[in-house]
Amino acid sequence: MVDKRYLNWKNKIGYGTGDIAGNVVYAFLSTFLMFYLTDTVGMNVGIVGTLMAASRLLDSVTDLFFGMLIDRTHSKLGRARPWMLYGYIGCALLLAAVFMVPTSWGKAAQYAYFFIVYTLLNGVFYTANNIAYATLTALITKNTSERVQLGSIRYMFAFATTMIIQTVTIDVVVSLGGNAEAWKQVALIYGGIGLVANTLSALSVKEMPHEELYKTDYGAVEIQEEPYTLLEGARLLLTNKYFIMVCGILMLSQVCQSSLSMGVYFMKYVLGNEGLLKTFSLFTNVPLILGLIITPWLVKRLRGMYKLNFVGYLVAVLGRIGVMIGAYTGSVPTMLVCTAIAALGTSPMHGDQNALIASCSEHTFLTHGKRIDGTMYSCSSFGIKVGASIGTALSGWLMAATGYIENAALQTTGTITMLYVLYLWVPILLNVAITLLLTYLNVEKANEKLLAVRR
């Protein structure tokens, strides 16, 4: 573990504000976009789910492209910061545009408009910005402790932003009229907030100089400066078993998140009060933030991320089982307490996720002498987006198949049953799968062995 310090607290907190920008897009879209399209615009839930999934799959193709661009970029701002800084301008504009589906158009035109704008938002501008932001973790420090701190701080901002958005959005929309125009105004506000936060974040840190980036604690190494090809980049990724496991975990976690995003429907049609989303958001995000605060200390105490992530997900599985018991016994308080337990259990993995990917990138560097930070972060983003597309599509298709009716006072028995499956059963099964994968993910120990051989 590198002891040299690269960052002060101003840098760390400034970097973390970038996830305010990321989540006024991500949290707003994942929580409310389908709800807006179905219950305000009147689109079919199955078609919307299909379009979202198709868009996300196209989006995932651009990840590797932007990752390679970042690795090949040389500018006064560095490799990643230009893409982060300028990419968000498009994010802010298109976030508003996606909540401006023309209500006077025919349904076919509405679907086409939504698909084009949504794909541009996710596949171009958000991808460029988000991959660059994540890649910065490996480019501004080589200290594992600092990387974990960066991850914890950024996700504190992320979950705080998510909590605020999930808590206030419905009330703000209602206060502005509760119609399509109200959703557009809220999207414009969020886009403006994100633009300010992203700019602050990009300008608060500096990337390491080239000679520092390639220096290791066992001395300088000879680096091949020729840019690698797409095929070679793919080979380097596929020969890193730890990275493949990380991608699998991120994919499963996003399917889980997409399933949990059906919570707004569960609150409205099962619990009978969509306003409960605010309370569940508090019981999810406050424990996540508290867990993130202590994650760097726990990583240091346990001398690494491996044990902490594994034990955390065991706790998360138990928490999700408790949520299910509370739902079937009609106890909302039990659901809330166990939601908090599950969230607390997943918090370490959120906090050290970027540090974990950086360790995977370091493993490739130690075994092949190649720096592929941008490509590795882009392909981790690929896993996230594939998982999100699968989860979104399945949720939409299954809801449509059970006869979901927009704004119906009483949903079909099949729809209610499916909401139980999506909100309760799917998260438990996926958390169990993630826990099993984490038993094999000890990349830190593998890197230590490689370093010991070289010393």
Side-chain angles (χ1 to χ4, degrees):
M1 184 176 292
V2 179
D3 291 324
K4 180 179 178 180
R5 299 288 174 174
Y6 294 83
L7 306 170
N8 57 38
W9 281 103
K10 180 181 177 182
N11 301 137
K12 296 170 188 175
I13 294 172
Y15 173 82
T17 59
D19 247 321
I20 296 176
N23 278 275
V24 294
V25 176
Y26 179 79
F28 188 36
L29 293 180
S30 62
T31 306
F32 295 110
L33 181 57
M34 184 177 284
F35 188 66
Y36 155 77
L37 293 171
T38 58
D39 287 35
T40 299
V41 183
M43 292 182 172
N44 177 273
V45 66
I47 297 175
V48 168
T50 302
L51 291 176
M52 284 184 171
S55 176
R56 284 299 188 123
L57 287 174
L58 289 174
D59 177 11
S60 64
V61 174
T62 65
D63 286 353
L64 185 57
F65 171 74
F66 280 111
M68 292 184 68
L69 279 180
I70 290 169
D71 284 335
R72 295 170 186 232
T73 296
H74 300 281
S75 73
K76 291 181 179 180
L77 287 174
R79 292 183 176 183
R81 288 200 301 161
W83 297 98
M84 176 185 170
L85 188 62
Y86 302 123
Y88 202 86
I89 297 172
C91 287
L93 295 173
L94 289 168
L95 180 63
V98 82
F99 281 89
M100 293 170 61
V101 177
T103 55
S104 60
W105 290 9
K107 281 292 180 282
Q110 287 181 338
Y111 289 127
Y113 171 90
F114 163 70
F115 181 76
I116 292 169
V117 174
Y118 185 71
T119 301
L120 284 173
L121 170 59
N122 281 295
V124 180
F125 295 101
Y126 185 76
T127 294
N129 169 267
N130 197 248
I131 290 175
Y133 179 55
T135 304
L136 274 179
T137 302
L139 298 179
I140 61 178
T141 178
K142 293 195 294 182
N143 186 298
T144 300
S145 178
E146 287 185 335
R147 286 172 174 173
V148 174
Q149 288 173 355
L150 287 175
S152 293
I153 291 169
R154 68 169 287 196
Y155 278 105
M156 287 181 209
F157 279 105
F159 294 128
T161 303
T162 298
M163 179 173 61
I164 292 169
I165 286 174
Q166 291 177 343
T167 302
V168 308
T169 297
I170 292 293
D171 288 341
V172 174
V173 168
V174 170
S175 70
L176 293 174
N179 52 18
E181 179 64 24
W183 283 103
K184 181 187 78 173
Q185 291 178 35
V186 171
L188 284 168
I189 293 169
Y190 286 161
I193 293 171
L195 191 59
V196 173
N198 182 77
T199 302
L200 175 64
S201 178
L203 298 180
S204 67
V205 294
K206 291 184 179 180
E207 297 179 24
M208 289 180 287
H210 182 273
E211 58 274 12
E212 178 67 22
L213 183 64
Y214 285 102
K215 186 171 67 177
T216 69
D217 61 354
Y218 57 84
V221 295
E222 184 180 353
I223 301 299
Q224 299 291 331
E225 289 296 336
E226 294 82 4
Y228 56 87
T229 64
L230 181 64
L231 193 61
E232 185 181 6
R235 181 184 65 81
L236 290 170
L237 292 174
L238 292 175
T239 54
N240 189 326
K241 65 179 181 180
Y242 300 106
F243 175 71
I244 292 172
M245 282 187 273
V246 169
C247 274
I249 289 168
L250 293 177
M251 190 180 301
L252 293 174
S253 68
Q254 284 303 304
V255 176
C256 182
Q257 186 57 48
S258 296
S259 191
L260 288 173
S261 292
M262 303 307 290
V264 64
Y265 294 95
F266 193 88
M267 308 304 160
K268 183 174 181 178
Y269 297 112
V270 176
L271 300 182
N273 180 7
E274 62 190 283
L276 279 173
L277 181 66
K278 303 175 191 176
T279 309
F280 274 87
S281 178
L282 287 171
F283 275 76
T284 299
N285 290 293
V286 170
L288 279 168
I289 293 168
L290 293 176
L292 288 167
I293 291 172
I294 63 172
T295 291
W297 177 80
L298 289 173
V299 170
K300 186 175 181 179
R301 181 82 173 177
L302 296 174
R303 298 182 179 179
M305 300 174 276
Y306 173 68
K307 291 181 182 178
L308 179 59
N309 290 335
F310 175 69
V311 173
Y313 257 88
L314 282 178
V315 172
V317 170
L318 295 175
R320 293 311 309 177
I321 292 173
V323 173
M324 183 173 67
I325 293 171
Y328 280 106
T329 58
S331 174
V332 173
T334 300
M335 291 181 69
L336 289 169
V337 170
C338 292
T339 293
I341 293 171
L344 188 64
T346 62
S347 60
M349 186 66 185
H350 287 293
D352 62 34
Q353 175 183 303
N354 276 5
L356 197 57
I357 297 170
S359 293
C360 291
S361 181
E362 192 70 19
H363 189 74
T364 294
F365 178 57
L366 292 172
T367 53
H368 295 90
K370 292 277 188 178
R371 278 284 177 194
I372 58 168
D373 302 299
T375 300
M376 188 159 285
Y377 277 98
S378 72
C379 286
S380 63
S381 177
F382 171 84
I384 290 172
K385 289 172 181 176
V386 170
S389 67
I390 292 171
T392 301
L394 283 176
S395 297
W397 293 338
L398 292 172
M399 289 283 282
T402 57
Y404 173 75
I405 304 170
E406 298 83 0
N407 285 314
L410 186 65
Q411 294 291 343
T412 67
T413 301
T415 296
I416 299 300
T417 300
M418 185 53 63
L419 286 172
Y420 275 92
V421 171
L422 290 171
Y423 191 67
L424 301 176
W425 285 96
V426 171
I428 290 174
L429 296 175
L430 292 175
N431 281 349
V432 169
I434 291 171
T435 305
L436 292 174
L437 281 173
L438 285 171
T439 62
Y440 300 98
L441 188 56
N442 198 349
V443 63
E444 296 161 287
K445 185 176 180 180
N447 286 351
E448 287 173 3
K449 289 181 177 179
L450 289 169
L451 285 169
V453 171
R454 290 175 180 265
R455 287 192 180 103

